[in-house]
């Protein structure tokens, strides 16, 4: 994973609560067996007037001019400003893949659905939780000022507004470390392989029924 | 020191190591896989040259994309090319890595959350994960079970562990006795309607109280299934005699001496009397009526005797605007009675309500009656091949068919319409599934979440109706 660097970028506002992962990336796109290429279909049902299909070329599709991401002033945005419970619904990781592929590196909201929140970190997206009032204020400022940019400094855990005002945010230290260093979770966990083996050895004594070999049992079962 | 909650116990038993900041490596006993969220995880393993840590802990079955009409053969006969590729990819990955798979056409194939408990692949006290948010279902057996993303699927495959932080403890206690005609689905819809779709965020929910003690294991699965719709990744119910009875004799359950040992341990899987929960929410079960959703969020739910709320009366502007958007999408008006909402399609199925008890409950309402002429299609989709077989042995298929329902093969089907079963735009569907988001059952489709009995009654009436009038 790439290291998460300090960035200054345009903010796009998505003023809806409970945006679910079905809305972020509709289910027909789940049929892909790859991780990339979902960006053109991000928010597909809101963004286009027709129904998108996986693999379709989106350059000629009728766009919904009302939808915020289609407005010229928000082109190139890398920070998404959202409302409460963002990312609820299905656990599909295609949602952060689509957001990232589209170009979003940061999502700001008063709250996130948990699985989505986790999935963001694993895909190099920083989800920032801010109090309701702060988010409200940001929505107002973004609406008022075209070209509104924020500077996101993960190391310092701050957002800086165009007027220089600084907003501090909290982030789990471990996740921050992983994002900043671009660390891969699996590699990190495998550093503790001995501990996992020791745990397994102990559990095999305590609770041996947890270690049935599914495939072998199934084969035996098939014969009777 | 205060006692432990069920969640505390399950958590503590699975800690491999813990960092000072609370980041914990927890061990995963059972990993379930389906075709939609696993291909990229296997691809990741391959790219990194990694092998599964413990092949024997994994169980795979295709469910989201499988056709539910008469099978013409294996996955190579699936018409939609992309669905076909996903199912074939799962077959290929399971084969390559040596993972047990119940393939299309195998009587044990079905929706992964129906198959796991049915086979005894999920057992009390286990940690169970799957790249699917409704993994919470398995918590009904006294497991710690929750959904994970695809990166985590890869992580579990490679390490048999997950990196987690402990959640907080919530107890939802429903006492009293349910009225006849009111079932597990009504209970969970009622809870979500009251605590909201983010009410459980950050918590592991234990469902306790008389109502859940009285409830069957399958009923508890329906409830735990929708913990995620209440915002909680994991829902669970303490182990009791019913749990143990349910598990007994299942293919992967222990036997003989091991069984005795396991049971002795399982009997400790309940919250201690002096356990402290961060939050306790109580409801009176006797007050719950049959429920039906009117909007596009699982908290937009009303009593069948009630009416659609008016956004103008809602003080929270964000809520009011979601309500207005939902009314417009659903083509409904504030003030309309629940029983005035029309029904064009009926879907009885999904990991929430496709088990044998669900089918029995629906069949009881349907028996000797006919699906209304207004209804364009009424589907019954059993949760697994074994559920289907059992239902046929009991003659339930005949009851449904005689009434005008279609009797299908197992799979996720119209729950999310990844296969060919889709709800057309603007059609109202009485659905026993768990999500009523925009477009969930098909682009533009209008979902109303209900219990199997309520779906059956709606099919007969051609509009939503109080099932108690049909009992
Ligand atoms: S039945 Fe529906 S909710 Fe359940 S696993 Fe399948 S698609 Fe998901």
């Amino acid at each position: 994973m790439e290291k998460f660097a300090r960035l200054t970028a345009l903010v796009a506002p998505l003023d809806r609560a409970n945006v679910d992962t079905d809305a972020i990336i509709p289910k027909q796109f789940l049929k892909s067996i790859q991780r990339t290429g979902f960006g053109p279909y991000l928010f597909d049902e809101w963004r286009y007037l027709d129904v998108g299909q996986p693999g379709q070329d989106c350059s000629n599709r009728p766009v919904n001019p009302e939808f915020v991401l289609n407005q010229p002033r928000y082109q190139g945005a890398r920070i998404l400003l959202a409302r409460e419970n963002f990312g609820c619904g299905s656990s599909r990781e295609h949602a952060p893949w689509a957001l990232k592929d589209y170009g979003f590196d940061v999502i700001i909201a008063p709250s996130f659905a948990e699985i989505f929140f986790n999935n963001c970190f694993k895909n190099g997206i920083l989800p920032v939780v801010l109090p309701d009032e702060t988010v409200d204020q940001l929505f107002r400022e973004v609406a008022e000022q075209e070209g509104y940019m924020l500077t996101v400094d993960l190391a310092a855990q701050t957002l800086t507004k165009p007027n220089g005002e600084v907003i501090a945010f909290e982030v789990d230290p471990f996740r921050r470390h992983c994002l900043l260093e671009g660390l891969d979770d699996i590699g990190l966990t495998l550093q503790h392989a001995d501990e996992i083996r020791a745990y397994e050895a102990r559990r095999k004594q305590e609770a041996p029924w947890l270690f049935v070999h599914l495939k072998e049992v199934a084969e035996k079962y098939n014969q009777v | 020191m205060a006692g432990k909650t069920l969640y505390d116990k399950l958590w503590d038993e699975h800690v491999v190591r813990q960092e000072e900041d609370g980041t914990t490596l927890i061990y995963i006993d059972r990993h379930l896989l389906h075709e939609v969220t696993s291909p990229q995880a296997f691809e990741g393993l391959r790219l990194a040259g990694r092998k599964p840590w413990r092949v024997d802990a994994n169980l795979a079955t295709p469910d989201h994309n499988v056709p539910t009409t008469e099978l013409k053969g294996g996955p190579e006969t699936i018409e939609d090319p992309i669905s076909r590729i996903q199912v074939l990819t799962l077959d290929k990955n399971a084969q390559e890595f040596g993972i047990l798979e119940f393939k299309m056409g195998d009587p044990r194939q079905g929706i992964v959350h129906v198959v796991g408990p049915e086979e005894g692949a999920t057992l009390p006290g286990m940690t169970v994960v799957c790249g699917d948010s409704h993994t919470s279902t398995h918590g009904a057996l006294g497991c710690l079970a929750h959904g994970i993303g695809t990166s985590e699927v890869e992580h579990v495959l490679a390490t048999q562990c997950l990196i987690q932080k402990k959640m907080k403890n919530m107890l939802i206690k429903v006492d009293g006795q349910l009225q006849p005609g009111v079932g597990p689905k009504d209970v969970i819809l009622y809870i979500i309607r009251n605590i909201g779709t983010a009410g459980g965020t950050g918590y592991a929910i234990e469902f306790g109280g008389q109502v859940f003690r009285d409830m069957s294991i399958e009923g508890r699965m329906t409830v735990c299934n929708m913990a995620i719709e209440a915002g909680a990744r994991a829902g669970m119910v303490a182990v009791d005699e019913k749990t143990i009875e349910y598990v007994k004799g299942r293919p992967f359950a222990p036997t003989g001496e091991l069984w005795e040992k396991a049971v002795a341990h399982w009997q400790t899987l309940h919250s201690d009397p002096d356990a402290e929960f961060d939050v306790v929410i109580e409801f009176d079960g006797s007050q719950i009526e049959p429920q039906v959703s009117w909007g596009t969020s699982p908290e937009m739910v009303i009593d069948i005797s009630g009416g659609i709320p008016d956004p103008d009366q809602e003080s929270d502007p964000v809520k009011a605007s979601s309500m207005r958007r939902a009314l417009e999408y659903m083509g409904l008006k504030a003030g309309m009675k629940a029983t005035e909402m029309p029904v064009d399609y009926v879907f009885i199925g999904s990991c929430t309500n496709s088990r044998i008890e669900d089918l029995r409950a629906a069949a009881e309402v349907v028996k000797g009656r006919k699906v209304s002429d207004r209804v364009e299609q009424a589907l019954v989709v059993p949760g697994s091949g074994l559920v289907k077989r059992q239902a046929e042995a009991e003659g339930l298929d005949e009851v449904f068919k005689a009434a005008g329902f279609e009797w299908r093969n197992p799979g996720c089907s119209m729950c999310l319409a990844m296969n060919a079963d889709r709800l057309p735009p603007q059609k109202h569907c009485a659905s026993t599934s768990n999500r009523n988001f925009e477009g969930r059952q098909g682009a533009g489709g209008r979902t109303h979440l209900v219990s199997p009995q309520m779906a059956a009654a709606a099919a007969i009436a051609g509009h939503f109706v109080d099932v108690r009038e049909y009992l």
Side-chain angles (χ1 to χ4, degrees), chain B residues 61-63 66 102-111 115 383-385 410-411:
Chain B
T61 191
D63 52 11
V66 299
F102 297 145
K103 297 187 186 185
M104 247 175 83
D106 185 315
R108 298 165 298 180
Q109 177 269 334
I111 306 172
V115 171
S384 72

Side-chain angles (χ1 to χ4, degrees), chain B residues 91-354:
Chain B
D91 287 359
K92 190 179 102 214
N93 285 326
Q95 169 84 28
E96 177 182 334
F97 290 98
I99 289 169
L100 174 63
E101 184 194 0
F102 297 145
K103 297 187 186 185
M104 247 175 83
D106 185 315
R108 298 165 298 180
Q109 177 269 334
I111 306 172
V112 69
H113 309 308
V114 175
V115 171
E118 180 174 81
E119 289 292 319
T122 47
L123 295 172
M126 277 184 166
T127 40
V128 180
V129 296
C130 174
D132 192 286
S133 55
H134 291 102
T135 311
S136 56
T137 312
H138 307 262
L141 294 172
C143 301
L144 174 54
H146 56 77
I148 54 178
T150 298
S151 296
E152 290 174 312
V153 170
E154 186 181 337
H155 193 277
V156 173
L157 280 168
T159 70
Q160 207 56 41
C161 291
L162 265 186
I163 301 170
Q164 292 262 289
K165 277 212 168 163
K166 200 174 170 196
M167 298 178 264
K168 286 183 283 181
N169 279 292
M170 177 184 282
L171 174 64
I172 295 188
K173 203 160 170 260
V174 188
D175 278 312
Q177 219 176 3
L178 296 180
Q179 301 170 36
V182 175
K185 182 66 162 287
D186 301 301
V187 174
I188 188 64
L189 286 174
Y190 182 84
I191 291 171
I192 297 166
R193 160 186 173 183
N194 281 285
I195 73 169
T197 51
T201 303
Y203 294 93
I205 300 181
E206 178 174 344
F207 296 98
Q210 195 56 40
V211 162
F212 302 112
R213 294 269 69 82
D214 290 345
M215 201 178 270
S216 71
I217 299 300
E218 293 193 0
R220 295 175 192 177
M221 287 185 206
T222 301
V223 171
C224 290
N225 175 273
M226 292 189 71
I228 186 69
E229 272 66 48
R233 291 180 78 175
M236 61 193 76
V237 179
V239 172
D240 60 9
E241 286 309 312
K242 283 186 190 160
T243 322
I244 291 167
E245 207 38 54
Y246 176 90
V247 171
K248 198 169 189 178
R250 306 223 167 235
F252 299 118
T255 50
E257 216 177 292
L258 216 51
W259 169 256
E260 300 302 329
K261 202 173 165 194
V263 168
H265 177 61
W266 294 342
Q267 279 163 341
T268 67
L269 297 177
H270 51 76
S271 292
D272 294 330
D274 58 341
E276 276 175 25
F277 287 86
D278 299 287
V279 179
V280 178
I281 302 175
E282 296 186 50
F283 296 104
D284 177 356
S286 67
Q287 296 302 312
I288 304 176
E289 271 194 38
Q291 304 286 302
V292 53
S293 75
W294 62 268
T296 52
S297 157
E299 66 186 27
M300 293 175 172
V301 167
I302 48 180
D303 291 338
I304 188 63
S305 67
I308 300 177
D310 185 351
D312 293 341
Q313 309 286 321
E314 173 59 57
S315 53
D316 176 348
V318 177
K319 260 200 182 148
S321 96
S322 338
M323 286 166 72
R324 278 189 201 100
R325 189 174 296 122
L327 283 175
E328 195 192 317
Y329 179 84
M330 295 297 287
L332 297 170
K333 294 226 156 25
M336 204 171 171
K337 285 193 194 140
T339 48
E340 285 167 356
M341 299 192 298
V343 173
D344 311 298
Y345 280 68
V346 178
F347 171 62
I348 298 180
S350 89
C351 57
T352 318
N353 285 125
S354 64

Side-chain angles (χ1 to χ4, degrees), chain A residues 27 30 34 93 172 199-200, chain B residues 27 86 150-151 165 416 439:
Chain A
K27 61 191 159 282
L30 269 55
Q34 278 147 8
E93 202 154 327
D172 178 279
Y199 173 90
E200 283 179 326
Chain B
Y27 191 79
Q86 280 200 330
T150 298
S151 296
K165 277 212 168 163
L416 95 166

